[in-house]
Amino acid sequence: SWQHILGLSFTQPVNPIREYFGSRVAFIFAFKGFFCKALLGLLPVAAAWKMSEKMNAYAANLIGLHCIMLTVWARMAVNGWNREQDYLSALWGSQSSHPIVRPQFRGFPCPSLLDANEVEDQYPPIWYSLRHFCSMCITSLFCVLVFVCIFIWMHQYEGAMGPKGCLILTVIIKTFEFIFSWLVLRLTHFDNHKYEFDYFNSLVRRTCLFQSITNYSAFLSLVFKHARDPAACGGYAGCLSQLRYQLITTQVALSLCAIGEVVVKVVYVRVAVSWVEGKIEELSFAEEQKHYVEYRTTHQADVMSQLVISLGFIILFGSIAPV
C-alpha cells in the first residue's frame, strides 16, 4: 500500500520472511531495506549538487566536501546496520554454538576435537589449505584475465567511451559474470568446507572480489589515467564530466540488465504455471511453487554481493555523480 511506500520507518516483514525462507534470506531483505532508507539521508546532498550544477556554481573543489559527507554517512550507516544485525541475530538465535555441517563435506573419521570419546568426520588441515590455495589461484587468474580484457577495451577508446562503448562494456561485464557464476560454485565446492557458514562466506567473498573488479576497474583506471594527464580530456572539469557520463551510462545499462533478468524469470514462471494449469483443473499453491525459479545459495550470494557493489559505487563515485 501507499502507506508502506511512503513510510520512513525501517520496519519490514522480516519475521515472516525468516519463518518461510530462513534467516539468510531475511537478513538480505533487512540489509536491502535498511540501506535503501539510509540512502534518503544523501538525497538533500544530491539535490544540492544538482541545483549548483544548474546554477553553474559547481566546482571541482566541492568534491572534497562531498567525500567528507559520504564518509560520515557511511560510518553512521554501518553503525546502524551493525546494531540492526545484532538485534536480529539475538532475536532469531542465529549465533548458534552448533554450526551446520554441510552434507557435501567429505572427511575421515577422527576423534572429536572437543570430546575424544566421540568420532566425527574431519579433513586434514594441510589438505584443506592446499585446496583453498589452488582454488584462490584459479580465482585470481580469472580476475586478472577479466581486468586485462576490460583494460584493453578501455584503451581502445582512450578513456572516452560513447553510448556504444558503454553498452559493449556492459555486455563484457555480464558475460564474465555469467562465466564466473558457474566457476565460483565449483571452486567453492572444491574447497570442501565443513560448515555451511564457512561455505557461504567464501562464496560471497569471491563473488564480491570478482564483481568489484568487473564493476570498478574500468572507472578506477580511467580516474588514474585522467589524474596523470588531465589535459588529454580538456582539464579537470572535462575529465570529471567524461567520467560522470560513463558512470551514469554504464550503471543505467547494468540496471536495465538486472531488471530484464527479473522480467525474464517472472515471465518464465507465469508461462510454466499457465501451461500446467491448462492440464490440471485446480492447481494448489504447493504445486504452483514447484514451477517457481530456484533460489539457491549461489543466487543468495549474488544478491548479497550486488548490494555491496552498489554501496561501493555510492562511496567511491558518489561525489562525482550523486544523481
Side-chain angles (χ1 to χ4, degrees), residues 128-140 142-143 176-177 180-193 198-214 298 301-302 305-306 309:
Y128 173 79
S129 300
L130 184 60
R131 280 175 171 264
H132 185 70
F133 175 77
C134 293
S135 62
M136 285 303 300
C137 287
I138 297 176
T139 303
S140 302
F142 190 79
C143 291
F176 278 120
E177 285 182 357
F180 187 76
S181 64
W182 175 87
L183 178 64
V184 69
L185 181 63
R186 283 147 183 82
L187 291 177
T188 310
H189 180 72
F190 175 78
D191 286 345
N192 195 29
H193 293 287
D198 296 329
Y199 174 82
F200 183 74
N201 284 347
S202 177
L203 192 62
V204 171
R205 282 195 296 266
R206 296 183 186 191
T207 305
C208 288
L209 172 64
F210 173 77
Q211 291 195 2
S212 297
I213 294 176
T214 56
T298 52
D302 288 338
S305 60
Q306 289 173 5
I309 294 299

Side-chain angles (χ1 to χ4, degrees), residues 145-305:
L145 173 64
V146 173
F147 176 79
V148 170
C149 292
I150 293 177
F151 180 80
I152 293 174
W153 178 253
M154 295 291 295
H155 183 71
Q156 296 295 324
Y157 286 87
E158 296 294 335
M161 290 191 303
K164 180 180 177 181
C166 293
L167 180 61
I168 297 178
L169 177 62
T170 303
V171 174
I172 294 174
I173 292 174
K174 301 305 291 186
T175 302
F176 278 120
E177 285 182 357
F178 177 78
I179 298 174
F180 187 76
S181 64
W182 175 87
L183 178 64
V184 69
L185 181 63
R186 283 147 183 82
L187 291 177
T188 310
H189 180 72
F190 175 78
D191 286 345
N192 195 29
H193 293 287
K194 182 176 181 178
Y195 299 111
E196 182 67 24
F197 178 80
D198 296 329
Y199 174 82
F200 183 74
N201 284 347
S202 177
L203 192 62
V204 171
R205 282 195 296 266
R206 296 183 186 191
T207 305
C208 288
L209 172 64
F210 173 77
Q211 291 195 2
S212 297
I213 294 176
T214 56
N215 288 274
Y216 299 152
S217 59
F219 306 109
L220 290 177
S221 62
L222 191 62
V223 169
F224 292 132
K225 179 179 180 180
H226 289 171
R228 292 195 306 267
D229 187 16
C233 52
Y236 287 107
C239 294
L240 290 175
S241 177
Q242 188 179 109
L243 178 60
R244 187 184 309 125
Y245 171 79
Q246 296 183 15
L247 274 169
I248 295 176
T249 304
T250 305
Q251 284 304 297
V252 169
L254 289 173
S255 300
L256 292 177
C257 289
I259 295 173
E261 184 180 353
V262 174
V263 171
V264 169
K265 291 182 179 179
V266 171
V267 172
Y268 169 79
V269 172
R270 296 299 182 187
V271 172
V273 172
S274 300
W275 184 76
V276 175
E277 286 180 344
K279 296 183 177 181
I280 303 177
E281 295 182 358
E282 186 176 356
L283 194 65
S284 66
F285 181 66
E287 293 173 331
E288 179 181 341
Q289 286 183 313
K290 178 183 177 181
H291 303 279
Y292 286 1
V293 178
E294 294 182 346
Y295 194 55
R296 295 184 176 272
T297 303
T298 52
H299 302 143
Q300 299 171 20
D302 288 338
V303 171
M304 198 67 195
S305 60

